[in-house]
Amino acid sequence: FQEYGIWLSEQLHDKRHKALYIKLAKEKPRLRLEKARVFAIDYNTKSVNRGRLFMWKLSESEKEKKSKSS
């Protein structure tokens, strides 16, 4: 989990929040994290830090999961 979380923080250019990404890697399914990572990296923006986009997409996928299970 630690290795993936650190790698994720490097990919998203958000090294300040390594602990958050390690925690997410431990608690969330890897497929959901990968989908959010790909979205954040491919998104066309001037900002180098993709952490906010990643967290937004991750929360959106959580909402989708809850609405499908209801």
Side-chain angles (χ1 to χ4, degrees):
F1 302 119
Q2 291 177 346
E3 183 179 347
Y4 181 71
I6 291 170
W7 178 81
L8 194 56
S9 73
E10 291 171 353
Q11 290 289 305
L12 299 171
H13 301 284
D14 192 15
K15 294 181 182 180
R16 288 181 51 203
H17 298 106
K18 286 181 198 173
L20 172 66
Y21 295 115
I22 292 170
K23 182 178 186 276
L24 289 172
K26 189 173 183 181
E27 296 175 353
K28 304 289 182 189
R30 183 73 52 101
L31 181 61
R32 189 168 292 135
L33 294 174
E34 278 297 306
K35 286 182 180 180
R37 181 188 68 85
V38 169
F39 173 82
I41 289 174
D42 290 344
Y43 194 82
N44 187 15
T45 183
K46 293 179 182 178
S47 174
V48 176
N49 186 334
R50 307 292 179 149
R52 185 174 284 176
L53 280 169
F54 172 82
M55 292 305 292
W56 175 81
K57 187 62 176 177
L58 190 61
S59 68
E60 289 295 313
S61 67
E62 292 288 324
K63 289 177 188 174
E64 282 181 22
K65 179 186 172 197
K66 286 182 183 180
S67 67
K68 285 183 182 179
S69 65
S70 301

